[in-house]
Amino acid sequence: MSATSYDGYEGLNRLALDRAGQAEAFDAIGDRYDEAFPHKEGQLASGAWLADALPAGSRVLDVGCGTGLPTARQLSDAGHRVVGIDLSPSMVKLARDNVPGAEFHRLDIADLRGGRLGGAGSFGGIAAYFSLLMLPRAEIPYALALLHDLLSPEGLLALSMVEADVDDFTIPFLGNSIRVSGYLRDDLRRVVRDAGFDVVGEDAYAYAPSSTDVPPEIQLFLHLRRA
């Protein structure tokens, strides 16, 4: 797949409607999200890599910014110009309160086509922590191609997914239901390379929310450079 092969593809437009239930779930969860996920060592380490590897004052997109913690704050504190997007109005409000030095918008990833926040090559870096797992697998390559296009040459993407062989699978989540997808790690590497990225680093962490007694999941963090 070329980095711009999403052009003309209508699936992402449809998905913005299909995911309304996802946004409603996170609206209901609100600030309980950070209470349920208090320890984010993997995300903090990955965010530190992105913050340090980018040129000073880079413009950085935080896809699925949630409450703005820890990533948008981490990047903003490092001196980068952070633009966060999230489907949930409640999450966007919390992010604005938590990280007043950043810019936040209630947008779906599909809304970024057509130059909505600056267009091709307008970001030096992108963070996408556990946001693309909200998409069906069929949509993830197109979303990655879109993010590739938004990056400047040799721009950086910090991506995290849960390692699981599932596609658009409904799970209970903090009293709500959400749909998630995942890959086994070899498959995830292939998908990001096919989207035009070089893998420059990788980490894996076992993690379980503090509010549940479910077995730990394996979180994959890939550090990617636009090829």
Side-chain angles (χ1 to χ4, degrees), residues 82-181:
V82 178
V83 180
I85 64 168
D86 202 286
L87 272 175
S88 163
S90 294
M91 291 293 174
V92 170
K93 181 182 185 305
L94 287 166
R96 288 170 176 162
D97 292 340
N98 288 328
V99 195
E103 172 188 336
F104 297 99
H105 302 270
R106 181 177 177 263
L107 294 173
D108 183 85
I109 189 171
D111 298 325
L112 300 182
R113 298 191 305 174
R116 179 70 177 268
L117 293 179
S122 59
F123 292 95
I126 297 175
Y129 292 125
F130 308 109
S131 49
L132 299 193
L133 62 77
M134 300 290 179
L135 307 179
R137 273 189 186 172
E139 312 295 346
I140 291 173
Y142 296 96
L144 284 168
L146 172 57
L147 298 182
H148 182 282
D149 190 59
L150 290 174
L151 282 170
S152 58
E154 297 192 352
L156 302 177
L157 169 62
L159 172 71
S160 66
M161 297 280 287
V162 172
E163 184 173 27
D165 187 14
V166 295
D167 182 14
D168 203 27
F169 183 71
T170 300
I171 62 169
F173 187 75
L174 300 179
N176 297 269
S177 293
I178 60 171
R179 303 192 313 276
V180 299
S181 299

Side-chain angles (χ1 to χ4, degrees), residues 162 206-209 212-218:
V162 172
Y207 190 88
T212 71
D213 56 2
V214 299
E217 63 192 21
I218 300 299

